[in-house]
């Protein structure tokens, strides 16, 4: 096995970095790679162990034991494609289709399962695949493995849950900002106003929802917030309304709630809504 200290950083287009190498058996091992790229296979590769038509025993049981944690509940590590390179790692398509239902990274950040498919028959679960490749059925490492698949309805549910959570978080941030700006808490009235603005931002595609690739419309987040402030005040306060809107926009963007980050270079009509 290579010395991990000699491969702590891999020169790569993606910025991939080897963070661990664990020995398995017969010269095989499991390499853990940190990659900001998020690349994935769209269908199982030629050697994919998730394929039922792949030769059983091509990889020793030890490596299946080491990788079992990728299918544990709320796991953050993913099962990598055996056909990808160390300096350009990709998430395995078989894993996405049969083992990622409860993986936290996949649930929160994707990819969109609609982009992944398999023309080959796949094992129904990690447990089934591991047992077929020599891991004992009663091996403790398999006990926490979650078996359910990530189907299209499941992904839609995940995105809906993430959307609701993001809108709720935006609503709390907006309400806190309103209370601080007003110097008083008017209870349910402020809660309703905050929910209204959060809903508008979400409907316009301005909220950063994990797993959802939104494309905001022509109306900017700043313009929506400014219009909301004018409605609440019952009057257009001119530059004061614009400044307050920008403060709230930055507050939301700094909390990673808005799409596009903190800066939003636009020109806004000071006198209109």
């Amino acid at each position: 096995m290579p010395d991990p200290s000699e491969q702590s950083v891999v020169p790569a287009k993606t910025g991939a970095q080897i963070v661990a190498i664990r020995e398995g058996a017969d010269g095989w091992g499991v390499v853990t790679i940190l990659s900001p790229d998020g690349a994935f296979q769209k269908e199982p590769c030629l050697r994919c162990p998730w394929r039922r038509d792949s030769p059983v025993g091509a990889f020793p049981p030890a490596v299946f034991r080491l990788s079992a944690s990728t299918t544990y509940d709320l796991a953050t590590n993913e099962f990598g494609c055996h056909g990808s390179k160390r300096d350009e790692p990709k998430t395995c398509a078989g894993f996405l289709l049969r083992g990622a239902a409860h993986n936290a990274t996949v649930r929160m950040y994707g990819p969109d399962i609609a982009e992944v498919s398999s023309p080959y028959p796949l094992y129904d679960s990690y447990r089934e695949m591991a047992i077929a490749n020599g891991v004992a059925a009663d091996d403790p490492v398999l006990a926490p493995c979650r078996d359910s698949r990530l189907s299209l309805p499941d992904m839609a549910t995940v995105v809906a849950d993430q959307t609701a959570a993001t809108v709720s978080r935006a609503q709390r941030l907006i309400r806190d900002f309103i209370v601080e700006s007003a110097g008083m808490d008017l209870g349910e009235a402020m809660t309703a106003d905050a929910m209204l603005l959060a809903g508008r931002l979400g409907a316009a595609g301005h909220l950063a929802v994990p797993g959802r690739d939104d494309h905001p419309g022509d109306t900017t987040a700043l313009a929506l917030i400014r219009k909301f402030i004018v409605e609440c005040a019952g009057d257009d306060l001119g530059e004061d309304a614009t400044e307050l809107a920008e403060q709230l926009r930055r507050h939301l963007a700094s909390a990673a709630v808005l799409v596009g980050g903190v800066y939003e270079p636009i020109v806004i009509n000071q006198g209109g809504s």
Side-chain angles (χ1 to χ4, degrees), residues 236-247:
D236 191 331
L237 305 177
E239 291 186 2
D240 288 342
T242 301
E243 182 179 350
L244 192 61
E246 174 60 11
Q247 290 176 10

Side-chain angles (χ1 to χ4, degrees), residues 8-52:
S8 57
V9 177
V10 179
K13 305 175 199 174
T14 61
Q17 181 181 5
I18 293 179
V19 295
I21 298 178
R22 293 174 292 165
E23 290 193 36
D26 304 323
W28 291 96
V30 172
V31 180
T32 302
I33 301 174
L34 179 65
S35 173
D37 186 80
F40 61 96
Q41 292 285 23
K42 293 192 175 182
E43 65 177 47
C45 68
L46 183 64
R47 299 190 301 151
C48 182
W50 289 86
R51 290 173 51 172
R52 289 184 181 274

Side-chain angles (χ1 to χ4, degrees), residues 218-224 242 246 249 263-270:
D218 295 333
T219 305
T220 65
L222 180 58
L224 281 173
T242 301
E246 174 60 11
R249 189 194 68 78
Y263 297 101
E264 185 181 81
I266 67 162
V267 176
I268 191 166
N269 181 359
Q270 302 285 350

Side-chain angles (χ1 to χ4, degrees), residues 76-112:
T76 55
N77 53 324
E78 300 175 297
F79 192 95
C81 173
H82 292 82
S84 61
K85 302 175 182 178
R86 284 191 182 185
D87 60 347
E88 296 181 50
K90 296 181 179 181
T91 302
C92 169
F95 163 73
L96 290 171
L97 292 169
R98 293 293 187 268
H102 300 275
N103 185 284
T105 300
V106 174
R107 288 179 69 95
M108 293 184 66
Y109 303 109
D112 184 350

